[in-house]
Amino acid sequence: MEIPAIFDRPLDVLTFGETMLRLSAPNHGRLEEAANLDVRVGGSESNTAVALARLGLKTAWFSRLPDNPLGRRIENEIRRWGVDTSRMIWDETPDSRAGLYFLDFGAAPRGIDVYYDRKDAAVTRIALNEIGLDTIAQARLLHLSGITSALSPQCAEAVRAMMHAAKVTQTAVSFDVNYRAKLWTPQEAKAELETLLLLVDVLLCPQSDAETLFGITGDGVTVAKEMRARYGMAAAIITCGGDGAMACDDRGDHAAKPFALTQIVDRVGAGDAFNAGVLMGWMEGDLEKGLRYGTAMAALKHTMPGDLLLSTRAEIERAVAGGSGGIRR
């Protein structure tokens, strides 16, 4: 469905979640022998906000960050790509900290290992009176992920409050399950997320997460239909790895094949780029278009370092149309 005219608001998408500093050894080296580290910025929700801004949507992201150089480094990076960060909550206490994560890159047969140093980060101490829940009414869509609920009881409470506020203000809600086994168990995640899914309009969920958390198996379309039947969302989008993505809404079933990737620079953030394309299409009333854009944007993200998709809309549309790479002179 297309979001109706009642949702003509100052923002297209508002999102909230933790964004961290990302540290990795240069040139795909090992962390244990690195003499220096590359510093980048990444977080699921802010990655999606940047990709949506690159498509031309009016987006805002907020979190709770330490009022120090590390917090400002994170906020500056997201803002520089066109995302409104004016709702940021700044923590001025001396022991406040930003979350960190370390990437140990690998190419097959060696995988990529992620090491978190995010315990007691500023966002985990968020209080409801800091959020300004009335700001949700300024957006057509509120986008959240399951990662945030896993960070702390305060974060879980904040997510619940924002989703309930969205229902009161007739703001649509999209939700990426985004299960992280290093943050909580499947049992903990299911107990928290099942109640949230009843408030979701657009669900984004990996096929593996649907099985691990909710016991739903089958191909992508089967899983999407079961999620809709069980939790009542308007649209369910299931990512299926090498089999692409499947979706189900009132107009029927939709599918998109993944792009063939000949060279992978950086996998991290590809799912968030995919989400941005899907949400753009859904907000325009064309979920099938969203899948095409999402798969193209995920492929483009694989070609650039860092968590953020920094493609222009023109580049994205060339990929959607099947354009090839190479040198354009």
Side-chain angles (χ1 to χ4, degrees), residues 40-160:
R40 295 185 180 272
V41 165
S44 178
E45 300 84 4
S46 57
N47 295 346
T48 298
V50 168
L52 284 164
R54 301 292 283 184
L55 285 169
L57 278 73
K58 295 173 289 185
T59 66
W61 163 75
F62 76 101
S63 187
R64 192 173 190 272
L65 289 171
D67 189 9
N68 63 28
L70 300 183
R72 290 191 291 274
R73 170 71 172 85
I74 292 170
E75 189 264 342
N76 287 340
E77 183 67 18
I78 304 306
R79 175 167 43 83
R80 74 183 287 215
W81 301 114
V83 176
D84 180 351
T85 59
S86 62
R87 295 161 183 80
M88 190 61 59
I89 303 164
W90 294 104
D91 183 352
E92 298 179 357
T93 56
D95 65 343
S96 182
R97 67 184 300 262
L100 309 176
Y101 82 99
F102 297 82
L103 273 184
D104 208 358
F105 276 107
R110 180 164 60 91
I112 300 173
D113 288 312
V114 178
Y115 303 96
Y116 293 119
D117 180 14
R118 67 202 308 183
K119 185 178 180 182
D120 296 326
V123 70
T124 66
R125 304 177 183 182
I126 193 166
L128 291 184
N129 61 8
E130 295 178 307
I131 296 175
L133 294 173
D134 57 322
T135 63
I136 292 172
Q138 299 172 20
R140 300 168 63 209
L141 178 72
L142 172 69
H143 178 66
L144 299 167
S145 90
I147 293 173
T148 309
S149 295
L151 296 177
S152 70
Q154 295 94 320
C155 282
E157 184 181 24
V159 168
R160 289 193 296 268

Side-chain angles (χ1 to χ4, degrees), residues 31 39 51 78 108 119 128 132 160 165 171 173-174 189 197 207 219 233 236 260 265 280 304 306 329:
L31 283 172
V39 180
I78 304 306
K119 185 178 180 182
L128 291 184
R160 289 193 296 268
T171 300
V173 175
S174 60
L197 294 186
Q207 187 179 25
D219 61 24
M233 65 274 302
V265 174
M280 180 274 295
M304 57 192 72
R329 309 182 197 241

